[in-house]
Amino acid sequence: MKIKALSRSKASTSRECQGDLRQVHRNLDPTFHPHSRAREYTRAVTSAKIDRMFAKPFIGDLQGGHRDGVTATCASRNALVPFVSGAGDGSINIWDLGSRNLVKELNGAHSRMITGLTFANDGRNFYSCSDDGLVKCWTVYPSHSSDDNDNQELATPHGPLSTYRSPNIGSFKSIDYHRSEVQFATASDSSVALWSPERSTPIIQWTGNKLWNSDDTSNVVRFNPSEHSLLGQCSMDRGVGLFDTRTGSAMQKTVLKMRSNCMEWNPLEPMNFVVGNEDFNAYSFDMRKLDQPTMIYKGHTNTILSVCWSPTGREFVTGSYDKTIRIFPHRRGKAREIYHTKRMQRVFTVNYTADNKYIISGSDDTNLRLWKANASEKIGQASVREEKSMEYRQALIKKYQHLPEVKRI
């Protein structure tokens, strides 16, 4: 048998005189420090405090805003810069998010309040609907050629390129464009309709018996991002329902205690969707089991008017009648951030930018505001040392987030 023994010289272990300190041999690796966990926890608390100290979520407003309350907004699905907003006076503004400047103001786009906006899949055209019973198609990038006869016939260089109207439909309340096919859906008084841009009348229209024998107004309609034939809808009778566009039939419906004002599908978990309700709460549902919500998100003190998922699908933002914006993680029922300002009024619309870094809110005080999705995130280029430091601090906060002192901060 071979045995290895530790051997040290007598000089390294003994003292020359009785008053000398005894030499202690320690492992200098920080992971083996006797107080390593305590030191790490202290750093986590400090990191959480630093995050709160440097949290400045508000960046600024989009220059000029509107003349009336902002009632509808939409961001392009395949570009960062274009952004469109509509107001209660029927005007539409086209914005450049990079410079936060107004590109074009379309006064009199509709004769009544704008209730919905959505971009087409090409990222160039967008559709607007209004209480005046019209759906109009516009373009973000107009043609400046003077020889284009079609362009000369338009009311403005941006359009409208076409107008849609049905005699059986009153006022439109919501609009959404299909993710892959060339068609869009509208919600209106007592009906949900599916349209093709090439036709002036709806392809399919759900009314009366096809709408669960309900004549109440449908206020929200949204296409599922992955199931191409699935359509979600909220109505004034407190119902949340699903439609199959292939068969033209209504599939299933659940009725909540109060009305839902907004609905959005999770982009990365398309079987789940979230609705904002009049009872101050947001509810997430699994479309395979609508009899009960999978999560209830609490915190608002008044009606939730708008909701929007982040492109990552891990959190969503809500805008409310209580004049606040709240960001909810998908798996938690409590908001991680609450944004508000002294002058911001009721928040009608919220949108994430495509890079998941910013949130745009439109409120009743005619302003469009730009916020950070992460309140303490630094804007601009960070050095390698800064990036490593921020990653380390975030890792510490995530590791100790369940402990009371970090959780309280």
Side-chain angles (χ1 to χ4, degrees), residues 299-345:
H300 280 291
T301 59
N302 214 320
T303 302
I304 296 177
L305 299 174
S306 57
V307 63
C308 181
W309 281 96
S310 69
T312 61
R314 302 182 66 179
E315 59 187 20
F316 62 90
V317 60
T318 57
S320 172
Y321 207 81
D322 63 6
K323 308 175 187 178
T324 64
I325 299 167
R326 296 176 189 249
I327 303 174
F328 291 90
H330 179 30
R331 305 295 183 188
R332 291 177 55 194
K334 184 180 178 181
R336 70 165 178 85
E337 296 284 359
I338 304 172
Y339 296 163
H340 60 90
T341 63
K342 290 182 179 179
R343 297 187 179 183
M344 185 166 70
Q345 297 300 311

Side-chain angles (χ1 to χ4, degrees), residues 65-269:
H66 279 270
R67 293 187 178 89
D68 204 344
V70 181
T71 56
T73 55
C74 71
S76 177
R77 294 170 184 162
N78 51 11
L80 292 173
V81 173
F83 186 77
V84 179
S85 62
D89 59 357
S91 64
I92 296 175
N93 286 2
I94 302 174
W95 303 90
D96 183 338
L97 288 182
S99 60
R100 287 190 284 164
N101 290 329
L102 179 64
V103 175
K104 181 65 177 180
E105 182 178 5
L106 303 174
N107 289 320
H110 288 271
S111 60
R112 297 182 66 181
M113 181 178 71
I114 306 293
T115 54
L117 291 166
T118 184
F119 266 92
N121 294 327
D122 58 5
R124 299 181 60 87
N125 297 338
F126 66 92
Y127 292 80
S128 63
C129 68
S130 171
D131 277 340
D132 61 4
L134 297 176
V135 175
K136 296 184 179 181
C137 177
W138 311 80
T139 180
V140 176
Y141 307 107
S143 173
H144 297 286
S145 174
S146 59
D147 299 331
D148 191 356
N149 294 327
D150 294 336
N151 194 35
Q152 294 176 4
E153 296 175 0
L154 301 179
T156 68
H158 294 267
L161 306 180
S162 53
T163 304
Y164 307 89
R165 184 172 187 174
S166 174
N168 301 325
I169 297 177
S171 59
F172 291 102
K173 301 300 180 185
S174 179
I175 186 171
D176 192 37
Y177 204 89
H178 201 284
R179 299 298 194 278
S180 58
E181 299 179 10
V182 185
Q183 55 186 218
F184 60 91
T186 58
S188 59
D189 295 338
S190 70
S191 69
V192 174
L194 185 67
W195 301 72
S196 171
E198 285 80 21
R199 297 180 59 179
S200 59
T201 57
I203 304 173
I204 305 173
Q205 191 169 352
W206 291 273
T207 57
N209 296 332
K210 294 183 178 180
L211 205 60
W212 298 286
N213 295 319
S214 173
D215 291 328
D216 284 317
T217 299
S218 298
N219 54 349
V220 184
V221 63
R222 291 291 181 266
F223 278 108
N224 188 285
S226 67
E227 292 292 338
H228 299 167
S229 59
L230 187 62
L231 191 64
Q233 170 253 9
C234 297
S235 56
M236 294 288 188
D237 64 352
R238 302 175 285 116
V240 179
L242 302 177
F243 297 92
D244 188 347
T245 60
R246 292 172 299 182
T247 61
S249 61
M251 296 171 58
Q252 53 181 326
K253 180 180 180 180
T254 185
V255 178
L256 304 179
K257 289 186 177 180
M258 298 188 75
R259 186 184 71 194
S260 298
N261 295 316
C262 48
M263 174 185 184
E264 287 293 339
W265 294 93
N266 189 326
L268 294 190
E269 295 179 6

